[in-house]
Amino acid sequence: MADSSTQSIIIDAAPDRVAAVICDFPSYPQWADAVREATVVEEYEDGYASQVRFVLDAGVLADEYVLAYSYAEDLTRVEWHLVAPSKMQKSQRGSYDLAANADGGTTVTYTLEVELAVGMLGMFRRKAEKMIMDAALKQLKRRVETPGAAQ
């Protein structure tokens, strides 16, 4: 059974800039530490990725999988799900929700639900999820807020 976890972070940039970084999958290996490869394998007519193949290497966790993406028209929500089970995952669903703040920044809420193919005690799985989500949000924030690093 998959558990869902949610975390948020405030990024000092407008939602469209944050969305541009989230949607630039080929650049993920430049800023997301565990991502070794991110390849768009299928696109929608508007050019946004509909399926992306990831090669992940986070030390004890290494995996290769394809995620299918969908987007809110204004890009304030990006959702994904695992296309087929992988070596490490039975299922994965997630989303980024972007909310504009009055000061021009963006609150990014990351929700992730993963069902692992390998057994892991609940306590360790929750700790691993927290570490993955913390890293993902902090790395996204750093990428967006670093001048010249993002679009």
Side-chain angles (χ1 to χ4, degrees):
M1 185 173 154
D3 289 327
S4 181
S5 298
T6 300
Q7 288 189 34
S8 297
I9 196 166
I10 295 172
I11 297 180
D12 189 22
D16 61 338
R17 182 176 157 122
V18 177
V21 172
I22 290 170
C23 296
D24 183 11
F25 297 105
S27 295
Y28 275 40
Q30 297 171 17
W31 60 271
D33 293 343
V35 179
R36 297 295 168 250
E37 291 178 40
T39 307
V40 175
V41 293
E42 199 173 287
E43 292 181 343
Y44 292 109
E45 287 181 12
D46 60 9
Y48 285 99
S50 63
Q51 291 194 7
V52 181
R53 179 183 156 274
F54 288 91
V55 176
L56 200 69
D57 186 355
V60 296
L61 177 65
D63 204 4
E64 182 176 325
Y65 53 91
V66 176
L67 298 177
Y69 284 85
S70 60
Y71 309 86
E73 197 170 314
D74 61 359
L75 296 179
T76 57
R77 183 173 178 84
V78 177
E79 305 181 294
W80 64 88
H81 68 271
L82 190 66
V83 171
S86 68
K87 178 176 74 170
M88 297 295 292
Q89 302 174 73
K90 288 183 182 177
S91 68
Q92 181 186 143
R93 290 195 167 283
S95 64
Y96 283 110
D97 288 291
L98 312 179
N101 298 336
D103 64 0
T106 302
T107 298
V108 179
T109 301
Y110 179 26
T111 302
L112 185 63
E113 179 181 297
V114 177
E115 184 176 1
L116 296 174
V118 294
M120 184 182 283
L121 289 174
M123 174 178 69
F124 293 115
R125 185 180 68 244
R126 284 186 293 280
K127 185 172 182 166
E129 284 174 354
K130 182 178 177 354
M131 289 173 49
I132 290 165
M133 294 180 84
D134 280 348
L137 287 171
K138 287 175 182 169
Q139 291 168 19
L140 174 64
K141 178 179 174 72
R142 185 174 63 232
R143 176 69 172 189
V144 173
E145 293 180 353
T146 301
Q151 302 171 11

